[in-house]
Structure formats: structure tokens, C-alpha cells
Amino acid sequence: MMKLNPNVPEGSIAEKWSNHKFSMKLVNPANKRKFDIIVVGTGLAGASACATLGELGYKVKAFTYHDSPRRAHSIAAQGGINAAKNYQNDADSVYRLFYDTVKGGDFRSREANVYRLAEVSNNIIDQCVAQGVPFAREYGGTLANRSFGGAQVSRTFYARGETGQQLLLGAYGSLNRQIHLGNVEMYNRREMLDLVLVDGVAKGIVVRNLLTGELERHSAQAVVLATGGYVNVFFLSTNAMNSNATASWRAHKRGAAFANPCYTQIHPTCLPVHGEAQSKLVLMSESLRNDGRIWVSKKVDDKRTANQIPEEERDYYLERRYPAFGNLVPRDVASRNAKYVCDEGRGVKGGRAVYLDFSDAFNRIGKDGVKDRYGNLFDMYQNITGEDPYEVPMMIYPAPHYSMGGLWVDYNLMSNIPGLFVLGEANFSDHGANRLGASALMQGLADGYFVIPYTIGNYLATAKPEKVDPDSTEFKATEKNVQEDIKKLLSVNGKQTVDEIHKKLGMILIDKVGMSREEKGLSQAIKDIKELREEFWTDVKVVGKGEELNQTLERASRVADFLELGELMAKDALNRNESCGGHFREEYQTPEGEALRRDDEYAYVAAWEYIKPGEWNLEKENLEFTNVKLATRSYK
Amino acid sequence: MSDNHLTLKLKIWRQENRNAKGYFEEFNQKVSPESSILEMLDEVNNLLEAQGKTPIAFESDCREGICGTCGLVVGGRPHGPLSKTATCQLHMRNFKDHETLYIEPFRAAAFPIIKDLIVDRSGLDKIQQAGGYTSFNTGSAPDANAVLISKEKADLALDAAECIGCGACVAACKNSSAVLFVGAKVSQFALLPQGQPERYERVEAMVKAMDDNFFGSCTNTYACEAECPQGISVSNIARLNSDYLKANLVSSVTHQDVK
Ligand SMILES: Cc1cc2nc3c(=O)[nH]c(=O)nc-3n(C[C@H](O)[C@H](O)[C@H](O)COP(=O)(O)OP(=O)(O)OC[C@H]3O[C@@H](n4cnc5c(N)ncnc54)[C@H](O)[C@@H]3O)c2cc1C
Ligand code: SF4
Ligand code: FES
């Protein structure tokens, strides 16, 4: 049985991090060079960690499956990054950011972690500006802010619609400096396929060189995973094509607890699916909801075009159901309602899309006014769909976007495996059951620049982990396992392509473990996924060899893990007999149809321990809310 | 969401590895006009895989024009016929039924072919490692509003910083020069107060790394700007050149001082 100790420091919420920083053991500067640290992933979380650990003098080995660290999925983030600077003098504060994040997460995150996140948020902006990140500015030369995702204060910093790119390139620059100075050794085009444990402690990884297919063993005194989220389990999502769960999942199978896998975020404003060949879904910035009105026809299976449907036959369903917030309800509420109207057959031409209409905004501020605010988004829409959104309303539909769940970590961001740390979207820690807009970038950089540099030092100074020879039996045995898994994949030689099976998995998940879930559907999903996994292992076709560049094999090995993770997501959703944040159970709703949390029974983190394929043991970390009072979200 | 399809004749570059001889393989492919060109390649690959044949190796990730991973020469032009559009954003409705389409990798001395449509662009990283940053350590930054930057300067810096590192400029250039890519980074920092302390060392180091990594020199043909998916302006090259000249002056003066 695994042990979960959140290791939250003593003291009031505002003092915990300071107290902890003071009481942590330090590594003598002269000794830092003697410690090797492996960092897997070079997105915001990984690149910032590598840079800072390198600066401190540790010997860092960094890994990514991309051809360059700059390609990480973080590059695609659009909207912005939050911080509690209160530059707008609108009564923002560390406490308010903390409060909003706990409440936004529907009271399913750990208060102490969230407070620290809010506390270091301001340092992140300072750091990025010093790196030369060209954030948006006011005419007077100060930094500009906007309000994002329904927040009541303007705390979001941004760089046009490319905030993720600019932040990642800043971190990439700092990482490059450390590579140049010889403190970080960069391994591109390497995919981590297993974690090596020696006496239960993380000591290294096995990676596959994606150009040659060669397996390599890398040893270190601590391993950091910053490998991103897992919503590509749905096949179609807003994540980059290669985003996957393999690093986390293999660590999970070595003993790391997986927490809250059912908490996934489905983003309301994405482009609808265009057809069978669709490979991914494109996010349209949420800011569009500030001026666009969402509607569908009142009639079922209405084949008329938008402009043929008269005003009185349109149903502005969000405005109707949520008069106070209207089109600005939180992401989960907006997404779920789009699903409902499409389920009723009232989506665009009876299909799975709803209108996002700017006619009112055109009348109010003119087409030029709209162009000023959203010009690049309108262009992007036209480029992709071939339709002119200045003439016909946009069509949107929700898409899987972000995973709040992930590997369980304690306050130090260490998993239950000593020496294994998890940062960024890959961990479960800060967003509870729902993530607020512009908070993922903040969390990735908080973890990498300002948390891990302290907490990993404490681990190294306290546990004094020894170096292990990568030729030792543990390393060789792990490599052999990986070798055998690859052989197994290549030897099935069935009839279905990897994508075909992945698409089937996606259909099961989006249908039964997506925006709304219920007991029967979840039990069915578990059964269906088990069967699909069988199908995969008897009927998948993976062409080519292991000892070469083989993209089919790369995908197959990721899908094999998704087929296990998908089952755990359904199992976790079935276990959680309540609705909270992104997890909505049909059986648990208020008479008005809103999410019904059950704090007395479910105010806990569900941390799953892997036993064998299809079998897990559930451990609970109870959550206490001593600073933010438990309350029901209401957007009526 | 239409049912009409296009039928295209595809001629796609196949090459086993860096040293193997390459050739065009021909495919007749039916494709939805709503698909992107990469989704079309996905479909070709799924058919190949179903037949037990080796799929075409090509790279992509974000498919939103921001990560810089994709990058194909389509119809003879890096990133295809549309301006300011990355390969992944190129939709099939831009092509005509029964058109013949050549799809090739980026070609440049600095970008050796790895397999089929995948090339090695690690030279671009090496240039950035030589100086594409400000040298300061985490934790030592002053308050973000301590230094004011005019909106105009910040916008210009962002125009330059939008480069996605795809390398199309190199592939478009008859000399395989990377000056647009380098100019973009150098300009971003040259425009900002944070970039001033190392302004001249940076430009020297990055230009040297460019030369060391088999990128050619610039002869002002500006093919790069025409193919850049981000519309990075050649004015950034002018800024690079001017800073480089100044850097030479500065360093010859300091060297004399040392003597
Ligand atoms: C379209 C879009 C827009 C978004 N906009 C916003 C926004 O405006 N604001 C906001 O706060 N958040 C936004 N998000 C969310 C945010 O971008 C992500 O949550 C965040 O960037 C994740 O960063 P990360 O460092 O944890 O992981 P990633 O950036 O996903 O990086 C993962 C890294 O791990 C590597 N890796 C993974 N597995 C392996 C392996 N097995 N072996 C080797 N390497 C591996 C990858 O190569 C990569 O380098 C957006 C997300 C999307 C999809
Ligand atoms: S300058 Fe343009 S073409 Fe060159 S790498 Fe940057 S984005 Fe690509
Ligand atoms: S795949 Fe990212 S830019 Fe094309």
C-alpha cells in the first residue's frame, strides 16, 4: 500500500511558503555540481526548470521528443498569463487570486499549493520582462492587462494572441544560455519510455532515440517530469498532435499515484469537426464570448442557414438559462449546454455545432470595431473554414483542451516515488476540478522557476541520493522491458491502423466520459475500453522496424498507454458520485440542472495506485478548506 | 462540411535516409476541400499503413501555425502558394481538382534530409544558443514596470519575436542564409532596454554561429520575406547589419584597449 503525505508546511496560509523556504536544507554551492538531475520536457514547466537548475549549478540533462525544445505544446497558448500584480488598481491581490483559483477549481485543489502559486505569480512577470518578453503595453509604457475568462479583475498579461509562444521563447532563451555554458546537456528527439527505480527511488530513465530507434539509459540523482497533459486520449483535442501521456503513465505503472484522472476540461469555443479526416481541433480564443452571442434554432433538425432563421426562432440558450452571466458562464457550463442543445437535435443543421453571432456587436461598435478586437481570430476562422464570419455567424463546438488530473505530488511537487518530481500540466496539483483561463502558463512557470529549484535542493540535501551506474541490473532490466514492449507492438501484425483504434477510443470517451457522465454510460465505457484494448493487442498493424525512425511505432506506443489511461478516467468518474468542475454526473445536479457537489463525501483527491492492467487501488487525500469557505458556484 | 471531393495527383519526395537517393512517389488521392494538406498526408499514410507499406515521414505538431515544426515545399514554394501561411494551415480548397502537386522537404545545405520530408534544423538552435537571450539569473529581476517601454517599441519587438523558427527563410534563399531568422532575434533585443547590455556581443556571436553551421550569406534578394509564414520583415535584416557593423567597430576598439 502506498503512502501519501502532502507534506504541507505549518503556519498560516500566507506564511507556509516562507517558513518552508527557511526550514529547507540547502545544498552547498560547491556540491551542486555533483548532482545530476534529469528533466523530461521543455515546455514552460520543463524549460524554466532546466534553466534555473542550471543557473544554480546542478548538472542537468534535458529531454524532449521534439527536434528542438522550442516546439513544446506550450508554444500554442494564446490568451495570456495571470498574476496578482494589481497594476490596474482594481483591488487584486495574492489573496484574491488564491481565492478565485480555489473557487474556480470547485473546491477540489489543495489550498496551500494554490496560495503559493498566487504568491509567486508576480515574480514570473518580472522574470519574463527581464528576459525580453514583449508583453502588450499601454501608451505610457507600462504593461497592459485584460480581464480573462470571466474574472472580475484585470490580471492577465498577454502578447497579442501568442502569449505562450513568447513565454516559451523566453524560457527557451534562458535554457539555451545554460546549454551554451555547459550546465544543461540537451537531448532532442528522445522519448522517455520508462522510469528506472532502484530500491523504490527514482534514479533515471530509459529513452528511445527517435532517429535511430536505439534505446539509451540515463542515470541521475533526481528525475523531473514536465511532460504536459493527456487530453489527446480523446484523439481529437486542442493539444498538439504529439502530446501524450506516456511519460506519466509509465511512471504510474512504476508506482507513482495518478490523481483525479476524470478531471478534464472541455473548452467551449473551438471549431467544429469538419469530417472524417480531421486530425485535431482548433481553439478560438475565449475572449470571443465577450461580444459574440451564442444561439441555436428553436426547431429540431432545422436545415435553414443561419441568416434564414428569423430572430424569434433563435434560442440564445445561455442568456435564457443564465441571465446574470449569459454568454460569459464558466467553460464547463458553456460546454455542457452546447452539448445538450446538439443532443436535442437543435445544433447547426441538426449537427454538432452552435452559432457564435456578432451581429449585435456589428451594430454596436461596427465591423471595424469588431475587427479591431478580434481581427486575427476572424482571419483565422476564415482561413480554416473558408467562410467569412463578417457575413455569416461563426460555428463553434466544445473540444477537450486541458487535463486538471495528473500524477499526484506533495507540496514539494514530489510524487509518492522519492526522487520523482512532476511539474506543469503533468501534475494534478493546483486547478482542482476546473482550471481558470490564463492559469496554466502561470502554474508551469511557477513550478519551474520558483518552486522546484528550492524543493529539489531540499530533497538532495536531505536524502543524499547516491549515483547509480546506468549499466547496473535495474537499468538493464528496465531497458529490456521497454525492448520487449516494442517487440510486442511490432509483432501483432493485425489489420487496423493505430489511428483507427485511437479514433474509436476517442469516440467512447467523448461520448461517455466527456462533458456529461452517468453511471450506466461509465460502466459501459469501462467495458468497451477493455474490449478495445484487446482489439488493439490482437489486431493493430504497426509497420516498420524498431531500429529506425518509425512514427507509426511512436504513435502505437502512446495509444497503448491511452487505452489504459482511458479506462482509469472512466473508473475515476464512476467513483466520484458528485458533480464538480469539469466532472458532471447527470445523477448529481440541483433542481435547476447545475452541478451538485457532495463535500461531505468527496472533498478528497482520488489518487490511484496501479496494480495490474485494469486494476487499481484507490487512496484518498482529504482536502481541507480553512481559508476559502466551501460554497456553491452560481452563475444564474 | 461539404461532400464534394478533389482528386489530386501527388508527387511526394521519398528518401530512405541522408545518403540514399531520393525520388518522387506518385499517389492519386481523393481529398475533402476542408482538409488541410497535412490531414491529406495523414490519409495517404493511413492507406499505406493499412497495406503494410512504409508511410511518408513528415513532421508537425501544433497544426495551428505557431510551433514551426511543419514545413514542406509545396508546388516549389516553402509552405506552399499562400503568403503568411504555414504548411499546416494550408487547406485543400486552395487547390484545383485534378491538379498535380509536388511535395518536397525544405532543401538547404544547413538542413540535411533525415528521411522523406523530415530535415535536420538543429543548426537554428545552435545559433540561438550562441546568444539569443539576456544573461541574467532567475530571481534577480526588478519589478516588471520598473522600466517603461513605449508601446511602439514593444510592438515592433513583438513583430520580430513572432518568428516560429521554421526555417522557410533558409529554404527560400538561394544561399541558404539564415539572416531573417537571426535578424528577428537580434532586433527583438536591440529594440528593448533589456537587450542593450549585450547588444553587440550578441550580434557577433549569433552571426558567427550562423557561419559555423553552414548557413550562407545574404545577397539581398529577399526571397525569405516572401515565404515567411509570420511575415517577418526584412527591416530586421537591416537592423542586424547595422548592429553588426557597429559591433565590429566596438570590438576593434576594445581589442586595441587591451593591447
Ligand atoms: C490551444 C491552447 C491554448 C492555450 N491557451 C492558454 C492560455 O492562454 N493561458 C494558459 O494559462 N494556458 C493555456 N493553455 C494551456 C497551457 O498551454 C498548457 O497547459 C501548458 O503550456 C502546459 O505546459 P507544460 O510545460 O506543462 O507542458 P508542454 O508544453 O505540453 O510540454 C511538454 C514537454 O514534454 C515533452 N515530453 C512529453 N512526453 C515526453 C516523453 N515521453 N519523452 C520526452 N519528452 C516528452 C514534450 O516534448 C514537451 O517538451 C492552452 C492550451 C492549448 C491547447
Ligand atoms: S524568419 Fe520566418 S521563415 Fe524564417 S524561421 Fe522565422 S518564421 Fe520561419
Ligand atoms: S505544425 Fe506547428 S506550425 Fe505547422
Side-chain angles (χ1 to χ4, degrees):
Chain A
M1 189 71 84
M2 62 182 183
K3 278 202 305 273
L4 297 181
N5 182 350
N7 289 314
V8 174
E10 294 300 316
S12 72
I13 192 91
E15 288 168 347
K16 284 183 195 294
W17 182 230
S18 311
N19 287 350
H20 193 50
K21 280 195 286 188
F22 181 71
S23 64
M24 280 190 284
K25 273 201 164 174
L26 302 177
V27 179
N28 177 323
N31 283 338
K32 286 193 177 132
R33 199 157 27 81
K34 297 184 189 150
F35 287 109
D36 294 336
I37 299 173
I38 282 174
V39 179
V40 189
T42 61
L44 285 178
S48 55
C50 289
T52 308
L53 294 170
E55 288 162 10
L56 288 171
Y58 295 109
K59 274 179 66 190
V60 180
K61 281 180 168 188
F63 295 82
T64 170
Y65 54 66
H66 287 104
D67 68 319
S68 159
R70 69 181 290 159
R71 311 267 189 235
H73 163 62
S74 294
I75 202 102
Q78 302 169 351
I81 176 167
N82 285 334
K85 281 283 194 186
N86 193 32
Y87 281 160
Q88 305 309 321
N89 201 25
D90 53 4
D92 199 8
S93 64
V94 166
Y95 200 87
R96 188 182 295 278
L97 177 55
F98 157 67
Y99 178 92
D100 288 353
T101 309
V102 170
K103 182 172 171 242
D106 220 356
F107 300 92
R108 290 295 174 264
S109 52
R110 197 188 283 144
E111 273 194 343
N113 285 55
V114 179
Y115 192 89
R116 175 180 61 194
L117 175 64
E119 201 177 339
V120 303
S121 66
N122 293 338
N123 303 23
I124 297 173
I125 303 303
D126 301 342
Q127 166 87 2
C128 296
V129 167
Q131 283 170 337
V133 169
F135 282 120
R137 291 191 176 255
E138 304 292 353
Y139 284 101
T142 53
L143 289 157
N145 290 116
R146 61 182 169 204
S147 145
F148 198 70
Q152 287 165 307
V153 290
S154 275
R155 62 159 73 104
T156 304
F157 294 78
Y158 61 99
R160 292 189 189 132
E162 303 148 347
T163 317
Q165 181 199 24
Q166 295 309 316
L167 296 175
L168 183 61
L169 293 182
Y172 163 78
S174 294
L175 164 61
N176 278 336
R177 175 168 164 250
Q178 294 308 309
I179 295 174
H180 184 69
L181 294 172
N183 298 327
V184 176
E185 216 177 320
M186 188 66 230
Y187 293 83
N188 295 326
R189 297 191 188 273
R190 302 294 201 292
E191 179 151 24
M192 170 186 161
L193 292 180
D194 215 339
L195 175 73
V196 182
L197 302 187
V198 178
D199 300 328
V201 179
K203 291 292 184 183
I205 57 176
V206 172
V207 301
R208 181 167 177 272
N209 178 327
L210 299 181
L211 293 183
T212 61
E214 216 175 309
L215 296 182
E216 301 169 3
R217 305 183 293 266
H218 295 273
S219 152
Q221 282 122 307
V223 176
V224 179
L225 298 188
T227 47
Y230 57 82
V231 287
N232 266 352
V233 69
F234 289 96
F235 187 75
L236 287 180
S237 85
T238 62
N239 280 19
M241 296 297 289
N242 294 299
S243 296
N244 69 83
T246 288
S248 297
W249 196 252
R250 306 272 163 111
H252 172 56
K253 290 173 84 167
R254 292 274 167 205
F258 208 105
N260 301 333
C262 80
Y263 292 162
T264 50
Q265 180 168 79
I266 312 236
H267 197 294
T269 49
C270 302
L271 298 187
V273 177
H274 64 62
E276 278 286 292
Q278 182 113 22
S279 57
K280 73 161 290 213
L281 295 167
V282 175
L283 175 78
M284 297 290 289
S285 169
E286 182 156 49
S287 60
L288 290 170
R289 287 202 277 144
N290 290 335
D291 285 299
R293 296 178 68 196
I294 295 175
W295 64 272
V296 291
S297 171
K298 288 184 178 165
K299 284 199 202 138
V300 168
D301 208 21
D302 192 339
K303 296 288 187 217
R304 291 176 293 179
T305 62
N307 295 340
Q308 289 168 339
I309 303 177
E311 189 61 29
E312 61 277 10
E313 290 177 42
R314 300 177 175 190
D315 178 14
Y316 296 87
Y317 57 90
L318 289 177
E319 297 171 23
R320 174 170 55 80
R321 289 193 67 181
Y322 306 94
F325 277 69
N327 295 296
L328 291 174
V329 290
R331 291 176 178 179
D332 53 324
V333 179
S335 293
R336 198 160 52 246
N337 280 281
K339 175 185 167 16
Y340 289 152
V341 293
C342 293
D343 285 349
E344 290 166 20
R346 297 198 291 128
V348 174
K349 298 193 177 164
R352 305 213 74 85
V354 300
Y355 289 116
L356 178 62
D357 195 332
F358 287 82
S359 322
D360 275 14
F362 294 150
N363 291 335
R364 200 174 61 239
I365 52 173
K367 284 195 178 165
D368 283 342
V370 172
K371 191 172 186 163
D372 242 21
R373 285 185 197 169
Y374 310 109
N376 59 339
L377 294 169
F378 274 54
D379 291 348
M380 177 169 119
Y381 183 86
Q382 178 152 19
N383 170 294
I384 297 173
T385 63
E387 282 189 2
D388 180 1
Y390 292 102
E391 297 303 326
V392 287
M394 287 187 179
M395 289 187 288
I396 54 165
Y397 196 68
H401 179 58
Y402 183 87
S403 44
M404 282 75 70
L407 291 181
W408 183 90
V409 288
D410 68 3
Y411 186 76
N412 297 310
L413 303 184
M414 189 162 90
S415 71
N416 56 310
I417 298 179
L420 177 69
F421 294 80
V422 191
L423 319 183
E425 193 173 339
N427 75 24
F428 89 104
S429 75
D430 294 356
H431 308 292
N434 176 49
R435 173 179 70 80
L436 294 179
S439 287
L441 303 182
M442 168 172 74
Q443 184 223 332
L445 292 180
D447 290 0
Y449 285 133
F450 298 110
V451 180
I452 192 74
Y454 293 90
T455 58
I456 210 166
N458 188 42
Y459 168 74
L460 296 171
T462 318
K464 298 196 178 70
E466 295 287 324
K467 274 189 197 163
V468 175
D469 183 356
D471 289 332
S472 68
T473 44
E474 288 89 348
F475 270 89
K476 286 193 165 155
T478 311
E479 182 187 337
K480 193 153 169 276
N481 276 343
V482 172
Q483 192 75 58
E484 277 160 10
D485 285 349
I486 291 174
K487 264 202 207 127
K488 223 168 104 190
L489 283 169
L490 290 168
S491 64
V492 179
N493 202 16
K495 292 211 167 46
Q496 300 184 63
T497 64
V498 176
D499 277 5
E500 279 177 275
I501 297 184
H502 193 178
K503 284 181 189 177
K504 286 186 188 170
L505 174 65
M507 294 299 277
I508 301 173
L509 288 171
I510 198 72
D511 186 35
K512 302 194 168 72
V513 200
M515 284 170 266
S516 87
R517 300 133 179 213
E518 38 105 27
E519 189 185 341
K520 223 176 95 210
L522 290 168
S523 309
Q524 186 64 40
I526 292 174
K527 206 172 142 260
D528 291 349
I529 295 170
K530 277 186 198 291
E531 279 170 22
L532 189 62
R533 202 161 59 226
E534 269 297 305
E535 208 175 303
F536 177 86
W537 286 108
T538 50
D539 196 35
V540 74
K541 186 172 196 81
V542 185
V543 295
K545 299 191 297 260
E547 304 78 25
E548 60 180 9
L549 187 155
N550 185 340
Q551 294 174 309
T552 316
L553 175 63
E554 290 166 28
R555 275 183 290 125
S557 130
R558 296 168 188 172
V559 171
D561 292 338
F562 281 146
L563 283 162
E564 296 180 11
L565 167 63
E567 182 180 349
L568 185 61
M569 287 164 65
K571 197 176 166 76
D572 185 42
L574 183 61
N575 169 69
R576 191 166 283 279
N577 291 313
E578 65 163 350
S579 295
C580 57
H583 168 69
F584 189 84
R585 282 280 300 270
E586 291 297 328
E587 305 92 319
Y588 302 97
Q589 43 182 309
T590 62
E592 297 86 43
E594 299 310 317
L596 182 68
R597 256 188 8 241
R598 296 176 62 208
D599 296 325
D600 43 340
E601 281 187 69
Y602 290 96
Y604 66 74
V605 176
W608 299 89
E609 179 185 26
Y610 181 84
I611 311 287
K612 62 178 200 231
E615 206 180 312
W616 288 269
N617 165 43
L618 172 63
E619 282 291 307
K620 299 173 186 172
E621 177 198 334
N622 288 319
L623 294 169
E624 276 164 38
F625 295 89
T626 45
N627 294 277
V628 187
K629 267 226 194 74
L630 284 162
T632 309
R633 296 190 306 169
S634 170
Y635 299 97
K636 285 279 171 187
Chain B
M1 290 186 203
S2 70
D3 308 322
N4 57 328
H5 278 76
L6 306 172
T7 308
L8 297 174
K9 180 173 283 179
L10 305 176
K11 298 207 175 205
I12 301 179
W13 188 258
R14 305 299 306 257
Q15 183 171 337
E16 184 60 33
N17 56 50
R18 185 177 178 159
N19 302 316
K21 204 166 159 309
Y23 61 96
F24 283 103
E25 186 172 351
E26 210 174 289
F27 300 89
N28 282 307
Q29 184 66 26
K30 238 180 96 177
V31 59
S32 152
E34 313 297 334
S35 286
S36 71
I37 191 165
L38 299 185
E39 286 172 341
M40 177 182 74
L41 290 181
D42 290 341
E43 284 192 279
V44 173
N45 276 348
N46 260 299
L47 290 172
L48 286 172
E49 283 178 28
Q51 296 161 10
K53 293 187 188 150
T54 312
I56 302 151
F58 72 96
E59 288 187 291
S60 74
D61 205 29
C62 73
R63 297 203 174 182
E64 291 185 16
I66 194 74
C67 73
T69 309
C70 65
L72 301 173
V73 175
V74 180
R77 295 184 58 181
H79 291 304
L82 300 191
S83 69
K84 291 199 192 175
T85 305
T87 306
C88 56
Q89 298 169 298
L90 187 56
H91 286 78
M92 299 318 292
R93 76 177 74 86
N94 295 297
F95 298 95
K96 287 197 264 323
D97 203 12
H98 299 297
E99 201 174 325
T100 300
L101 209 56
Y102 282 85
I103 301 179
E104 300 165 75
F106 279 180
R107 296 185 193 275
F111 295 164
I113 289 186
I114 292 172
K115 186 178 180 179
D116 296 342
L117 303 174
I118 303 182
V119 299
D120 179 355
R121 285 171 291 188
S122 50
L124 297 178
D125 274 344
K126 300 226 172 72
I127 297 174
Q128 295 292 346
Q129 286 161 14
Y133 38 77
T134 60
S135 298
F136 83 101
N137 287 350
T138 303
S140 56
D143 183 84
N145 261 346
V147 181
L148 300 181
I149 303 175
S150 76
K151 178 170 169 15
E152 191 197 347
K153 280 269 166 68
D155 284 349
L156 274 175
L158 180 53
D159 287 344
E162 280 174 339
C163 162
I164 59 174
C166 62
C169 46
V170 179
C173 175
K174 64 179 168 39
N175 309 317
S176 294
S177 172
V179 280
L180 190 61
F181 169 81
V182 179
K185 200 62 191 179
V186 164
S187 289
Q188 176 193 344
F189 289 122
L191 285 159
L192 296 172
Q194 289 82 6
Q196 299 312 313
E198 299 161 289
R199 179 165 178 178
Y200 298 108
E201 291 92 325
R202 175 179 307 111
V203 69
E204 281 196 312
M206 290 183 79
V207 168
K208 180 171 183 308
M210 174 167 73
D211 294 341
D212 290 349
N213 285 284
F214 311 108
F215 294 94
S217 50
C218 171
T219 51
N220 301 316
T221 53
Y222 299 156
C224 50
E225 187 188 62
E227 303 300 349
C228 173
Q230 293 293 83
I232 304 291
S233 155
V234 288
S235 62
N236 291 300
I237 301 182
R239 209 175 277 116
L240 167 79
N241 287 335
S242 133
D243 271 16
Y244 188 66
L245 276 176
K246 283 188 208 147
N248 282 336
L249 285 176
V250 172
S251 64
S252 60
V253 173
T254 30
H255 288 157
Q256 275 172 4
D257 286 353
V258 177
K259 277 181 224 157

